[in-house]
Amino acid sequence: LHGCGVFLFDGAAVLKTRPFTEPIPQPITLMVVAKARGDTTIIDALGTSSSRFELCHGYPTGWHPSPEICITASGHDAPPQRSLRGSTRGTGEWHIYTAVFDARRSELYVDGSCEATGKSVGGNRLDGLSIGCDHNGVFFLIGAIAEVRLFRCNLPAAARVAIELGLAHRYGLEAQYCHQPPPEAPPSPSRSRSRFCLRTAAAAAGLRSSLRSPSFGASSSSV
């Protein structure tokens, strides 16, 4: 993608971090540069014993081949009771997704545009990351991921926009980026601290690949 390597997912593999030393409480900001097609999970919590912490195109109100983008930190196995749903559908296009998990101050941005805000997504904590599948190993990603960033805070608007613009420049997505603030800016935390960052240039560090199919592994490739 714009000369940078990406991880390709064909619906059969997942990358997992090691378990976090302690589950991370909200607020958490998750940024992902990805493309996804269909009813599919981009990122979720670590494993089958985890509580849901999901960024996905899924949980449609009625069946649709390409559901809208959704974030939720509600429940475990049953469909979530709380979520935020945007308008962007999973049609296989590249996007910069920013999911802010922060109780009733949760927000969902796609390419800088605020698609949902002002509603709780649930209060689950994050114990690790499944990249390319939900925590139960059912909804595998069909698409690709270029970069993942995780922050242990609700990023101030200026910091969020600056990081998103940097990602848009790196991956050649400037033309579709359109900064749109939420109706009310959340309180700024006293400190912004990054906990986890996946870049495909150093993709193997700290990750273990858990393959659902013996014939496929998530690989780094130029697009």
Side-chain angles (χ1 to χ4, degrees), residues 132-143:
C133 189
D134 70 300
H135 69 284
N136 284 321
V138 177
F139 293 95
F140 288 86
L141 175 63
I142 299 175

Side-chain angles (χ1 to χ4, degrees), residues 155-196:
L155 281 175
R160 174 185 57 79
V161 171
I163 296 169
E164 290 172 339
L165 283 171
L167 293 173
H169 177 72
R170 174 180 297 154
Y171 296 107
L173 302 175
E174 297 100 326
Q176 67 195 57
Y177 185 85
C178 179
H179 170 48
Q180 177 188 333
E184 292 184 8
S188 298
S190 58
R191 182 178 180 184
S192 170
R193 185 152 61 105
S194 175
R195 172 63 179 252
F196 175 86

